[in-house]
Amino acid sequence: MKTVAKFEIGFEQYLDPEGKPTKKLPRTANKEELLKLYRLMTLVRIFDTKAIALQRTGKLGTYASSLGHEAAHAAIGVAMKEKDCLAPMYREYAAQIERGVKMSEILLYWGGDERGSNFSGPAHDFPWCVPIATQYLHAAGAAAAFKYRKEERVAVTVIGDGGTSEGDFYEAINAAGAWQLPFVGVVVNNKWAISVPLEKQTAAETLAQKGVAAGIECVQVDGNDIVAMREVMEKALAKARAGKGPTLIEALTYRLHDHTTADDASRYRSDEEVKAHESKEPLIRLRKYLMEQGWWTEEDEEKLIEECRAEVDEAVSEYQNIEPPGVEDMFDYHFEEITEPLAEQREVAIREARRNG
Amino acid sequence: MKTVAKFEIGFEQYLDPEGKPTKKLPRTANKEELLKLYRLMTLVRIFDTKAIALQRTGKLGTYASSLGHEAAHAAIGVAMKEKDCLAPMYREYAAQIERGVKMSEILLYWGGDERGSNFSGPAHDFPWCVPIATQYLHAAGAAAAFKYRKEERVAVTVIGDGGTSEGDFYEAINAAGAWQLPFVGVVVNNKWAISVPLEKQTAAETLAQKGVAAGIECVQVDGNDIVAMREVMEKALAKARAGKGPTLIEALTYRLHDHTTADDASRYRSDEEVKAHESKEPLIRLRKYLMEQGWWTEEDEEKLIEECRAEVDEAVSEYQNIEPPGVEDMFDYHFEEITEPLAEQREVAIREARRNG
Amino acid sequence: MAKMTLIDAINMAMAHELENDDRVVVYGEDVGVNGGVFRATIGLQERFGEERVMDTPLAESMIAGMGVGMAAQGLRPVGEIQFSGFIYPGFDQIISHAARLRNRTRGRMTCPLVIRAPFGGGIHAPEHHSESTEALFAHIPGLRTVIPSSPQRAYGLLLAAIRCPDPVIFFEPNRLYRLTKQEVEDNGEALPLDVCFVLREGTDVTLISWAPAMNETLKAAAELEEEGISCEVIDVATIAPLDMETILDSVAKTGRAVIVHEAPRNVGVGAEIAANLAEHGIYDLRAPIQRVTGYDTVMPLAKMEKQYLPSTARIKDAARRTMED
Amino acid sequence: MAKMTLIDAINMAMAHELENDDRVVVYGEDVGVNGGVFRATIGLQERFGEERVMDTPLAESMIAGMGVGMAAQGLRPVGEIQFSGFIYPGFDQIISHAARLRNRTRGRMTCPLVIRAPFGGGIHAPEHHSESTEALFAHIPGLRTVIPSSPQRAYGLLLAAIRCPDPVIFFEPNRLYRLTKQEVEDNGEALPLDVCFVLREGTDVTLISWAPAMNETLKAAAELEEEGISCEVIDVATIAPLDMETILDSVAKTGRAVIVHEAPRNVGVGAEIAANLAEHGIYDLRAPIQRVTGYDTVMPLAKMEKQYLPSTARIKDAARRTMED
Ligand SMILES: Cc1ncc(C[n+]2csc(CCOP(=O)(O)OP(=O)(O)O)c2C)c(N)n1
Ligand SMILES: Cc1ncc(C[n+]2csc(CCOP(=O)(O)OP(=O)(O)O)c2C)c(N)n1
Ligand SMILES: [Mg+2]
Ligand SMILES: [Mg+2]
């Protein structure tokens, strides 16, 4: 049989789990940038711990932890420009915080308040997206708008390993390929979709290769290696910005926490498996590298943790001090101008609310 | 960058457009089998011409021609066993006729009568499927049922080039891969989805490679070469039957007619393009090969055409003599037992029908 | 002023908006060179270029979902679904995103998306090509659903839909695409998206209808007139939000109501209208409300579709029944 | 007889059918080891094996579409959609295939498929986890839609759904999953799929409800009793096909009707019930029909959901209003 097409999936890594370079680091891996990233990742981790604690004490609704995913998320945040557009799923806090979303807004959303999605990040960024994989099409649409207006902007979107089984994921990457859109799709492969392990999700050896179906560039990266992750993001963004088409990036990481606070992962996976991944998590390896370089000390670490705690505490008290929304909020954002039938229902609801105090 | 996965897409061909073998033909390409196939393809082509004529004279509704696709369809039909299950799209008449569907039933369906789908083919075969790509999931489900009951049966399904852009297509092949189902998916790439050419449909160089996304075996084949097409089908079926997993097959062919009788392809594609493909169509090449072998003569050809015409004419008169359905038919097949509200509406409709004579 | 068909008016409205608003793009399966399978977009790609009138891959969730993305980023996308029976794969994007983006972000992002689709039965088309699906969309908060039934209303309502800062599902009765011609001026004047149209005044009974069934409803009114039954005829047209005021006013006058639609009866839009009449107009009603609708069956294939569709005769019967009480 | 919760009864019904019918398979996202996110399928994989209780990839169209395929080939698949708000990607397969296969093939093929999904609000869940979508399914010809609201009805109706030779959408009010316990015998006795349940007899006003709102409706009835208003309470439960006879009989007796549901009002199932009352019971009605429903808004996030949901107070108000006329 004649061969008519060939494909190879590459894997990128610069820092191994011990924080040892596996090859020469790229330009972006300088002291200043790496410290910035380390701070961001640390902040998000402390935020995450706090959010889980808030949920456990009834002060927050169901919350999706980002524990272990910090490098993948942070790299997305720093590689993007403000004018680029992010269509996230629901746990990429590091990317969003870097783009200006406040931690209090994240809490507001998981606290059950739509105002959290009217956030301080770029106004053109999409809100959290719960229906799995749908956000990939929003990003493709955004990219089409940028291309149409000849703007040098890129739409970036994120999905999980489980999400790659949904039709919308494929429809989006196929359209991005067909139209050569300025689109970067990230698959954050954390090995689990709630209780479903990757092996049950697909027979594909890598998730990067799903891009082959769309005829687009695709690459796998160590998503716990912030250096590699950033480098791969930067390249994909530059390519997209130059009008050279979309990229699909599979970031290998691991979900160290339960799926959400409503989940109990001990029901379906072993402690040993989790333990085995704890040593590969992204903060340890970056800290080791920074210390090895002499760019970071135990004292720096302690100071940073304190600073982050203070920042998180402030966000929490901001969150807790926000006035509850009025019942009219439920009605006022459905149409630019409220419709007649809705206006009537609004009156009923306001009356009800008054009656109930 | 380290390479973590590699893929190659093979292309299968035995007979070139001139009917010349490009390599040694397989066992199935013996005189008896090839003559059977040639007869089937000729019958379907004559049927097709007749159906279009019926539509043009108001005796049939919109009809989807299979002109040019005969080899791909016929190979599917002969390679499958009766116990296997076919989930077709809407133009694979050769496959269906081989499996026992009557031409009069095909006409009945396109004539706007549901009874056409209560056909004489295997009772477990799915009916025509208009919502593009949905049939791929039915086949995956059928395959799951066969696997569950440990039956040595395979579910075969067919889609067009356009259909490979739909989410259901990907969800089906991914599930088939994840569960290693006895599933064979055929993509009949006829280069056009109504007026949309393949280049606008996807950036993928081949449609076979879409199987890479699902981690399943995939192969491209000259779909106008009945020998290659059959061989590839037989192999995929044998593999599936042996419990060794699914295959995705891209069959390269060309839609020589309008999309359907409601379409006018001259609006969007050139005569030259169509002409260029006419010489590559499947009947010519098989006839040339048969004649070269001394297995077929002009007289055989004339006789065959006459026989086929007679057979088609009989089917047409069968179609035209079928009693029109009663209005109660509209109600009687929604539930095993008609529901109360529907029974009331049925009475109204019967009264109405009586009034209108 | 030119006399034109409903589909010409649709085409003219899109051309008008493409001409006057850079943010407008038209996209969908076969809308380019082919001009759509019904030719609604004919000539638009030639005139406005491939960047503004785009053929898409074959994927309805993509059409809806990318529409959300484009609209959220400042475009005014006008997507076509080839037939309303193929809109279902896009349902999730419409209900979960198009209809919710403004509310979800408390107004930060909006979704000025129009999804057009040929609609309804009566043209002897193949399976799935004749569906009446308005009830599924009318039930969705945050969405507008509009169905014109004359060339003038098609033009004015489509302009309004494209200019609307919120998502609109715009169904086009394909049976009426070329049925009659009407003078339509290309004056850029939009019609309101939340007011019903009183097409005929009368005193005995109000016939309330929309979409292709308007045709049989108007015929019934004319024929009933000859029998001495005076019908007021309302084209609901803006299915959601529903303008009950116009309907209630009319029924307050006539005391009788017949609701006519092609979609299945059970939990159809006719039910909502009847429920409102029962809630707010019960003391005006001089006879039970009548619904003349499609049956609660799958839309049949061509041979039976005439028997499925509400006929003029059935509408007349229903009106007469209201006069008996 | 054991006292158990509604979710226990669901689990027991599935176990009963898995035990007694080889054709039954349970499948969906996280239904295996994890037992479903609410634990409805807990222990089933352990007991019946991975071949009969299967975790699927994350894809709802696949769950619905493969369900059609499995059902057409002789299995009795019971698919789970993780929350009713995630059923939309499977909508096309449900409406275009599950509901039509028997009709399309004139009975040659059938689709005995059950799709279960947790349903409704009130549990402070994240976005999209609290939707009430019954109207979208009740409108679809060829489909049954069922929502139990007590452990006993959950058991009997789920048995019936699994044994039904036609497709059934089976919604489970997650707010009631663990709210109360009731004695349920594992006797394999199914309930009919087309009869409403009269839960309480009364003479002044009929309260018609279903799904989680049954809880507030029953409370309202008890409290109204103390005020001297005697309520008949109907749990519709079998949403489609709709048993109007039971409802009409009750309203013929009481002369007053209050319909209560969580879904948005516009073109909801309440509209169909009201329309039927107006058509067939108008001369029995002594007061305008009242609908107490969710607002025509997107289901709000947790902080506002209490204000969205029909409260006992609103139901009582509506009942009192019917007594004023
Ligand atoms: C369409 C849809 N189906 C189901 C769910 C319920 N659900 C929420 S998260 C999740 C698993 C997602 O796994 P993955 O894509 O790997 O992302 P991760 O949470 O692991 O980051 C599921 C099934 C949903 N939110 N949307
Ligand atoms: C879901 C859906 N969308 C749109 C259509 C309308 N339609 C019918 S055939 C067709 C093109 C199909 O092209 P392809 O898949 O290449 O198959 P071919 O007809 O060329 O064999 C379209 C868009 C449909 N039937 N179903
Ligand atoms: Mg995951
Ligand atoms: Mg094609």
Side-chain angles (χ1 to χ4, degrees), chain B residues 22-65:
Chain B
T22 55
K23 56 183 171 183
K24 188 169 173 297
L25 301 199
R27 246 175 1 100
T28 52
N30 56 47
K31 181 177 173 185
E32 191 188 347
E33 287 298 308
L34 290 181
L35 286 179
K36 184 174 87 182
L37 282 163
Y38 186 69
R39 289 200 175 97
L40 175 59
M41 287 158 65
T42 304
L43 176 66
V44 169
R45 182 159 294 183
I46 287 169
F47 169 75
D48 201 76
T49 312
K50 186 70 188 184
I52 293 168
L54 287 172
Q55 190 279 333
R56 298 292 187 230
T57 52
K59 295 182 190 114
L60 192 68
T62 301
Y63 169 78
S65 160

Side-chain angles (χ1 to χ4, degrees), chain B residues 64 69 89-92 129-134 159-164 166 188-196 201 255 259-260, chain C residues 29-30 37 58-60 81-83 85-87 89 127-129, chain D residues 92:
Chain B
H69 309 71
M89 42 189 284
Y90 40 78
R91 53 169 117 246
E92 298 85 64
C129 184
V130 170
I132 301 284
T134 54
I159 201 168
D161 42 304
T164 65
E166 290 273 11
V188 177
N189 177 358
N190 64 9
K191 309 293 190 304
W192 291 90
I194 310 187
S195 74
V196 180
Q201 202 64 242
R255 198 193 79 210
H259 169 68
T260 65
Chain C
E29 295 157 14
D30 303 290
V37 293
L58 207 178
E60 289 74 17
I81 297 288
Q82 203 155 79
F83 285 87
F86 303 133
I87 203 168
E127 207 179 349
H128 297 281
H129 289 64
Chain D
D92 186 33

Side-chain angles (χ1 to χ4, degrees), chain C residues 60-75:
Chain C
E60 289 74 17
S61 189
M62 189 218 77
I63 291 175
M66 284 187 67
V68 170
M70 290 191 278
Q73 301 299 327
L75 296 190

Side-chain angles (χ1 to χ4, degrees), chain B residues 43-44 46-48 50-51 103 107 307-317:
Chain B
L43 176 66
V44 169
I46 287 169
F47 169 75
D48 201 76
K50 186 70 188 184
M103 289 183 285
L107 294 172
E307 282 166 18
C308 290
R309 282 212 181 115
E311 208 179 319
V312 168
D313 285 345
E314 205 187 296
V316 171
S317 75

Side-chain angles (χ1 to χ4, degrees), chain A residues 62-118:
Chain A
T62 301
Y63 169 79
S65 161
S66 74
L67 189 70
H69 308 72
E70 296 88 350
H73 299 163
I76 293 169
V78 295
M80 288 175 71
K81 299 195 176 172
E82 206 269 347
K83 66 180 177 181
D84 296 332
C85 169
L86 180 64
M89 43 190 283
Y90 40 77
R91 52 169 117 247
E92 299 84 67
Y93 312 123
Q96 293 184 304
I97 289 170
E98 173 66 19
R99 289 179 68 68
V101 176
K102 291 194 203 163
M103 289 182 285
S104 59
E105 291 162 346
I106 300 171
L107 295 173
L108 209 52
Y109 176 73
W110 291 111
D113 190 328
E114 285 83 353
R115 292 175 301 176
S117 287
N118 188 7

Side-chain angles (χ1 to χ4, degrees), chain D residues 245-320:
Chain D
E245 213 180 298
T246 302
I247 298 171
L248 280 164
D249 283 353
S250 174
V251 176
K253 183 172 74 175
T254 61
R256 300 178 184 86
V258 176
I259 303 163
V260 185
H261 62 71
E262 253 185 53
R265 163 176 318 208
N266 200 48
V267 197
V269 174
E272 182 62 37
I273 294 172
N276 269 285
L277 287 172
E279 286 159 357
H280 307 296
I282 192 165
Y283 300 119
D284 294 321
L285 283 171
R286 283 188 252 166
I289 300 161
Q290 301 284 328
R291 279 187 285 167
V292 181
T293 69
Y295 299 112
D296 287 314
T297 66
V298 173
M299 178 74 198
L301 292 188
K303 241 177 223 168
M304 203 91 85
E305 74 175 336
K306 208 178 145 197
Q307 280 156 299
Y308 172 90
L309 299 175
S311 62
T312 304
R314 273 172 70 203
I315 300 168
K316 280 167 30 186
D317 280 355
R320 287 191 204 106

Side-chain angles (χ1 to χ4, degrees), chain D residues 205-281:
Chain D
V205 50
T206 305
L207 308 185
I208 303 147
S209 187
W210 58 90
M214 274 322 300
N215 189 44
E216 285 68 36
T217 302
L218 283 166
K219 248 191 222 148
E223 293 177 20
L224 286 164
E225 182 82 61
E226 287 169 24
E227 293 180 21
I229 300 176
S230 162
C231 298
E232 182 134 318
V233 177
I234 295 178
D235 176 8
V236 176
T238 55
I239 308 298
L242 184 60
D243 165 25
M244 270 311 295
E245 213 180 298
T246 302
I247 298 171
L248 280 164
D249 283 353
S250 174
V251 176
K253 183 172 74 175
T254 61
R256 300 178 184 86
V258 176
I259 303 163
V260 185
H261 62 71
E262 253 185 53
R265 163 176 318 208
N266 200 48
V267 197
V269 174
E272 182 62 37
I273 294 172
N276 269 285
L277 287 172
E279 286 159 357
H280 307 296

